[in-house]
Amino acid sequence: MSLIERLLGDGDDEQARIEEARDSANDALQNRVDPESHGIEDAAVTGIAVVNEGPDEEPVTVPIARFSLGEDVESPDFDKVWRLVGEALRALEPAFEDVFVRHFDVQFTFDGDELFEAEECRRVAVTTDLANRFVSDPGFGVEDLREAMTDAHDIDDEVAPVAWGECKDYSQNAGMAVVATGGAAGASAASCAGAGSGAAGCGGAGAGGV
C-alpha cells in the first residue's frame, strides 16, 4: 500500500474533503488579500501536507498558505508579515474546521533576485489552539498572536509554534506526503508547496527576527 493510500484510506472521500477545504481556504484568502494593496507579489493556499494518522485513522494535515513578498525584498517587514499571518489564519481556520489539523503553516518567500540565487523561504507555524483563539476572540488581535507565538517558540523549529523559521519540506519526509496543491504564490510556489530550504527555489539562510 502506498503512503497516500495508507494515510487517506482506500477511498476518495478523505482526499476530496481535504481538497474542498483547501479550495475554500484559497478562495477566502484571495478575497481577503489583494497583492497590490498589500504590497506583495502573490498569495495562495499552495498545499496540504498529510503528516500522520489520527486516533481514528483520520488523516492529520498541515494546511500551507504562502505569500510571495518579492525578489527585491532582502529583509521582510515583520509588521506586514504578522498582518498577513492574521489574514491567512482567518482564511484557513474556518475552512479546515472539519479536517484534522496538526498546525497551520504560513510561508513567506523573498529575496533571490541575484543570478542563480534561490529565494528565501521562512514560515510561521501556528498551533490550532492559537489559530482558533485568534479567529474567534475579537480581543485577541495580531499583536497578541505575535507576542504569544514569540513567547511560546523555543529552540525547536520543527514543532509548532514557530514564530519565524525555515520552511519545512514535507514532501521529502518518508512519513509524510503533500497530496493537494493549489494556485501559485510567486514563481517558486509550484516547486515549494510544502517544501523547505532544501528544495529548488526555496532558499535556506538563517532565521531572522520576528
Side-chain angles (χ1 to χ4, degrees):
M1 181 180 292
S2 71
L3 174 64
I4 296 297
E5 289 171 337
R6 180 176 64 81
L7 292 177
L8 294 181
D10 55 5
D12 295 330
D13 291 348
E14 293 290 1
Q15 183 160 349
R17 185 157 58 94
I18 290 170
E19 291 180 344
E20 182 179 356
R22 176 210 62 197
D23 291 344
S24 177
N26 190 58
D27 289 345
L29 186 62
Q30 300 304 313
N31 289 333
R32 298 194 66 89
V33 178
D34 173 65
E36 183 175 356
S37 64
H38 282 77
I40 61 176
E41 289 189 354
D42 208 349
V45 176
T46 55
I48 313 299
V50 177
V51 297
N52 210 333
E53 289 177 300
D56 297 322
E57 299 183 348
E58 182 179 8
V60 178
T61 67
V62 176
I64 302 164
R66 172 165 298 220
F67 297 95
S68 177
L69 301 180
E71 292 183 348
D72 59 342
V73 175
E74 295 183 2
S75 299
D77 175 350
F78 285 100
D79 289 337
K80 177 188 289 186
V81 162
W82 283 97
R83 287 195 298 271
L84 292 171
V85 170
E87 296 291 8
L89 293 180
R90 292 187 179 101
L92 289 168
E93 204 277 341
F96 283 86
E97 183 179 8
D98 295 326
V99 177
F100 195 140
V101 173
R102 188 173 75 178
H103 67 266
F104 297 98
D105 258 24
V106 185
Q107 301 181 354
F108 298 88
T109 60
F110 56 96
D111 205 2
D113 58 344
E114 300 294 333
L115 186 64
F116 303 124
E117 182 182 46
E119 283 187 304
E120 302 289 345
C121 182
R122 296 291 178 268
R123 71 170 182 155
V124 175
V126 186
T127 63
T128 56
D129 286 346
L130 280 174
N132 178 266
R133 183 179 179 188
F134 175 75
V135 171
S136 62
D137 183 355
F140 190 76
V142 169
E143 288 304 316
D144 300 299
L145 174 67
R146 180 176 181 176
E147 182 177 355
M149 288 282 296
T150 303
D151 289 345
H153 181 186
D154 59 20
I155 61 173
D156 188 354
D157 282 356
E158 291 291 313
V159 180
V162 177
W164 188 250
E166 291 189 4
C167 291
K168 183 176 178 62
D169 189 349
Y170 296 100
S171 65
Q172 297 300 312
N173 190 303
M176 304 176 185
V178 178
V179 299
T181 55
S188 66
S191 62
C192 293
S197 58
C202 303
V210 294

